[in-house]
Amino acid sequence: MDANAGFASATANSPPSHSRFYGPPGDAAIGAGYLLNNVEYPTFLSTENSFGVVRGLVLVLTHECDLDQENERLFNESALVCPVIPLDAFVEEVSAAVGDEQAAGFVANVTARYVNRLVYIPTIADVLPLGGYLYLNLITNTEYSRLIAEDVSPVAMLSVDGLLEIDLSLERHLRRPKADRVPLQPQGPATH
Amino acid sequence: MLMTTGMTYAGALAASVATVGANPDGTVTVLLSDRLPSLYVRFTAPSQDVSQPVDRAIRAAHRRSVTVVKLI
């Protein structure tokens, strides 16, 4: 399945929020909802079977108050970021792995929010012409200095709708009910 | 308020139910209202792709989209 077909599957039933997902960063401080390009961060590289440092597009997850260097607080030098995977690379690799038909269904399921660990984010001219994916299991940390490095470029800021979408995605992914019983859990169905 | 089958877990949360609980068999038990404590609706959470090939493909896609600065 080529990228354009993947884009069609990903956007066939886009939620209304996707039409108003971003805005220009303006004077916003670097923090949650900020999309930055060319950011250095550590990650595991499956093709090399090794950890490494890479540079790419990320969504900042840490609140700006926890990053503001003017705030007198401890532990404000690290930021959580989620890498953004462009749709074309995503679709081509998934299609190669499972075939076009299953890939098309999978892509549609991600947009429909049936796949907790992935979030489709809509297009951004030039940077994400077909949109991209947040793979929440790739969330990692980087140093604040890497967010403001000279060659880092601000891309966009999530809007109110975009932030809500991401917040709910993190809620769905990170706060799912346990499949197993946990210590000290009362008898009866597992509860959240 | 009645739950229709096929409602997603997220949809159940958005429907202001009092309690949502996952059962070991993959279904979800929903307590509709404190006013009807004995009424439960069971529905199955939508299946999710958990195949290893897909996850490897996603990682490969990520690798294609970044510039490697250095390997450890």
Side-chain angles (χ1 to χ4, degrees):
Chain A
M1 178 170 64
D2 66 16
N4 289 327
F7 178 70
S9 292
T11 57
N13 293 294
S14 292
S17 61
H18 282 194
S19 64
R20 46 180 189 269
F21 209 78
Y22 311 105
D27 296 328
I30 291 179
Y34 217 120
L35 282 146
L36 295 167
N37 207 359
N38 224 26
V39 171
E40 277 190 14
Y41 60 91
T43 191
F44 183 75
L45 299 168
S46 56
T47 49
E48 284 85 346
N49 195 30
S50 174
F51 286 92
V53 177
V54 299
R55 189 176 285 130
L57 178 64
V58 301
L59 172 67
V60 179
L61 299 175
T62 299
H63 195 277
E64 51 274 18
C65 288
D66 290 337
L67 294 176
D68 187 351
Q69 302 301 289
E70 301 299 317
N71 275 349
E72 293 185 5
R73 62 176 65 183
L74 301 175
F75 304 111
N76 67 344
E77 294 179 354
S78 293
L80 285 173
V81 297
C82 187
V84 181
I85 305 169
L87 178 141
D88 52 350
F90 184 93
V91 163
E92 287 173 18
E93 293 293 337
V94 172
S95 290
V98 300
D100 289 357
E101 188 174 338
Q102 191 166 347
F106 182 73
V107 161
N109 280 342
V110 172
T111 302
R113 307 175 183 135
Y114 285 155
V115 185
N116 289 341
R117 65 195 184 282
L118 287 163
V119 184
Y120 172 73
I121 60 174
T123 63
I124 303 175
D126 299 330
V127 177
L128 282 179
L130 299 177
Y133 289 89
L134 303 174
Y135 182 20
L136 299 180
N137 287 345
L138 287 183
I139 290 174
T140 184
N141 75 87
T142 191
E143 282 291 283
Y144 178 77
S145 62
R146 298 305 192 265
L147 299 179
I148 59 170
E150 191 175 327
D151 50 358
V152 169
S153 53
V155 172
M157 187 78 186
L158 295 183
S159 68
V160 171
D161 288 345
L163 272 174
L164 179 62
E165 180 89 15
I166 300 306
D167 284 350
L168 291 176
S169 298
L170 291 169
E171 174 87 14
R172 285 194 300 271
H173 183 56
L174 298 175
R175 298 194 64 208
R176 291 163 61 193
K178 291 287 292 179
D180 299 319
R181 302 192 66 78
V182 296
L184 306 180
Q185 183 173 339
Q187 293 301 312
T191 57
H192 185 48
Chain B
M1 175 177 59
L2 293 178
M3 294 290 179
T4 58
T5 58
M7 181 178 289
T8 65
Y9 181 69
L13 289 177
S16 301
V17 297
T19 304
V20 179
N23 304 310
D25 63 356
T27 60
V28 181
T29 298
V30 178
L31 174 60
L32 291 181
S33 167
D34 287 340
R35 293 171 294 178
L36 297 169
S38 62
L39 178 63
Y40 285 84
V41 174
R42 293 171 71 90
F43 61 93
T44 303
S47 62
Q48 298 184 29
D49 189 322
V50 295
S51 64
Q52 287 299 311
V54 171
D55 277 32
R56 281 197 296 269
I58 296 169
R59 283 195 165 272
H62 172 241
R63 172 64 182 86
R64 286 173 51 176
S65 68
V66 298
T67 301
V68 177
V69 175
K70 66 179 173 182
L71 294 176
I72 298 173

